Amino acid sequence: MSLCIGVKTHTASPPGRWSSKDCLLTVQIIPLAFMVSVINPVLNFANQGDVCTAISGSTLFYCSQLEADITTCQKTYGKTILLSIGGATYTEGGFSSTAAAVTAANNVWSWFGPYSSSAVRPFGTAVVDGFDFDFETTVSNMPAFATQLRTLMNANTSKQWILSAAPQCPYPDAADGPMLAGAVSFDVIWVQFYNNYCGVQSFVAGSSTQNNFNFATWDTWAKTVSRNPNVKVMLGIPANTGAAGSGYETGTFLANVIAYSKSFSSFGGVMMWDISQLYANSGFLDAVTSDLGKPASVPPTTTTVTLPGTTLTTMTTTSASPTTTSGVVSEWNQCGGSGWTGGTVCVAGTTCTVYSVWYSQCNPS
């Protein structure tokens, strides 16, 4: 996979719905979000659903316009269209057993995979190019669900299928962790470097160390833990100021983040949330496209990075103790977590805040 831009779409773009005209954008992958329930299947495409019709005997609906638009995007513009499963309103919590997970995967495949006239088909004859997982809370038996979809993809040679996930940047991800721990072969992961302490806003330009922004950690995961050693890690960013609570950056700052991320061999490109926010932000896509075409920054100094919860290591990035000369941890730096051997006392005016068993950080009191 060459460097690419993926844009998730949920709320519709002008003039009121997602359409094949969105495929004129300089993006390569478009995940349609979301399938918010799988056991009792429910789709939520925001106002796109207003032009869909109910399917008799099913909780799903048929979208004739999406059927046409997906086909046009794929065949005319060469775009990759995924169905994103999960989202913030997903509440099923996964599956009660591995058998139930396999059954659910088979159902999803029949609804959105290769066409069958006997199956319920929300997109009619249109066939998506794969599936994306965007789970925000802990889910059960998801490796079995993902593995069955992967198995079905591998057995079908009609196209190049893609399986992806969208973890939060703190490692390991609370929701996708079991799938990402070597259990499932993913092609792409869209790491959400926003709404988190490790987001894009924490990048320190010109520094040989990144104490919070952790693309290096995900590069280490890709090379030492991922079931697919060729998986690509995407830099997930908000497409506008209103798209996320934090992590939206522009100009030279964002260009430096992209140049730094490009220095890692697992880097696959940029993901943006979401397409409606992108449409409202004139010039942003062009700027990111231009940044992707620029050279990578000087690769990080090589040292050993150990991922939380594993003994696997790889030589990828620098590390330094984020403490002052007195041993007191400075603002925004790590002050605790499993395996942490650095300082645990925060500088005056800050408090050591626990984010997970793996990481605590000195935040302003």
Side-chain angles (χ1 to χ4, degrees):
M1 175 186 287
S2 59
L3 295 185
C4 72
I5 298 176
V7 182
K8 287 199 172 186
T9 177
H10 180 50
T11 51
S13 57
R17 68 178 187 88
W18 183 82
S19 71
S20 57
K21 80 179 186 64
D22 295 319
C23 291
L24 294 171
L25 298 172
T26 54
V27 301
Q28 286 71 48
I29 303 175
I30 303 177
L32 301 176
F34 290 103
M35 184 176 197
V36 297
S37 181
V38 180
I39 300 170
N40 298 303
V42 176
L43 296 170
N44 181 359
F45 295 141
N47 52 353
Q48 177 65 57
D50 296 341
V51 291
C52 300
T53 57
I55 299 175
S56 178
S58 174
T59 54
L60 294 169
F61 47 67
Y62 166 60
C63 304
S64 60
Q65 292 178 334
L66 274 176
E67 177 182 19
D69 291 334
I70 289 171
T71 302
T72 299
C73 282
Q74 292 169 325
K75 295 185 176 180
T76 303
Y77 300 111
K79 306 299 183 181
T80 297
I81 308 297
L82 307 181
L83 175 68
S84 189
I85 301 172
T89 60
Y90 174 85
T91 58
E92 287 182 324
F95 308 98
S96 60
S97 66
T98 57
V102 169
T103 296
N106 290 336
N107 288 337
V108 170
W109 184 252
S110 71
W111 298 327
F112 302 101
Y115 176 71
S116 171
S117 60
S118 63
V120 171
R121 300 286 298 183
F123 300 153
T125 58
V127 179
V128 298
D129 298 300
F131 302 93
D132 168 60
F133 302 143
D134 191 340
F135 299 112
E136 307 291 337
T137 57
T138 302
V139 288
S140 300
N141 293 304
M142 205 53 69
F145 177 72
T147 297
Q148 179 62 10
L149 281 176
R150 178 89 270 173
T151 299
L152 292 166
M153 291 177 181
N154 291 345
N156 185 285
T157 58
S158 63
K159 63 168 68 184
Q160 180 180 353
W161 301 93
I162 289 180
L163 191 64
S164 68
Q168 305 288 318
C169 60
Y171 185 92
D173 182 67
D176 295 336
M179 290 188 290
L180 297 175
V184 180
S185 180
F186 286 103
D187 301 293
V188 181
I189 60 164
W190 326 85
V191 182
Q192 299 180 47
F193 288 102
Y194 50 90
N195 290 341
N196 283 293
Y197 71 91
C198 44
V200 169
Q201 79 283 350
S202 296
F203 177 76
V204 179
S207 174
S208 61
T209 63
Q210 296 295 327
N211 293 322
N212 291 323
F213 179 67
N214 65 342
F215 196 97
T217 297
W218 287 100
D219 179 73
T220 300
W221 166 84
K223 294 170 180 173
T224 66
V225 178
S226 171
R227 189 178 183 91
N228 174 16
N230 297 314
V231 66
K232 289 302 179 183
V233 180
M234 305 288 282
L235 178 73
I237 61 174
N240 206 337
T241 54
S246 66
Y248 175 72
E249 301 290 345
T250 60
T252 301
F253 187 94
L254 181 58
N256 287 335
V257 175
I258 292 174
Y260 167 82
S261 302
K262 282 185 69 176
S263 69
F264 297 96
S265 60
S266 67
F267 179 72
V270 173
M271 176 273 281
M272 300 181 198
W273 171 265
D274 71 343
I275 207 164
S276 62
Q277 294 283 344
L278 180 61
Y279 264 102
N281 194 3
S282 178
F284 187 69
L285 178 59
D286 289 340
V288 171
T289 302
S290 175
D291 292 340
L292 281 170
K294 296 174 182 177
S297 61
V298 177
T301 305
T302 300
T303 60
T304 299
V305 174
T306 303
L307 294 180
T310 179
T311 57
L312 295 175
T313 59
T314 188
M315 306 294 284
T316 54
T317 186
T318 58
S319 61
S321 175
T323 60
T324 65
T325 55
S326 64
V328 176
V329 183
S330 56
E331 186 176 13
W332 305 118
N333 286 306
Q334 186 170 0
C335 56
S338 180
W340 174 246
T341 58
T344 57
V345 178
C346 293
V347 68
T350 66
T351 302
C352 190
T353 303
V354 176
Y355 284 91
S356 71
V357 67
W358 309 112
Y359 188 89
S360 299
Q361 174 182 293
C362 291
N363 292 337
S365 299

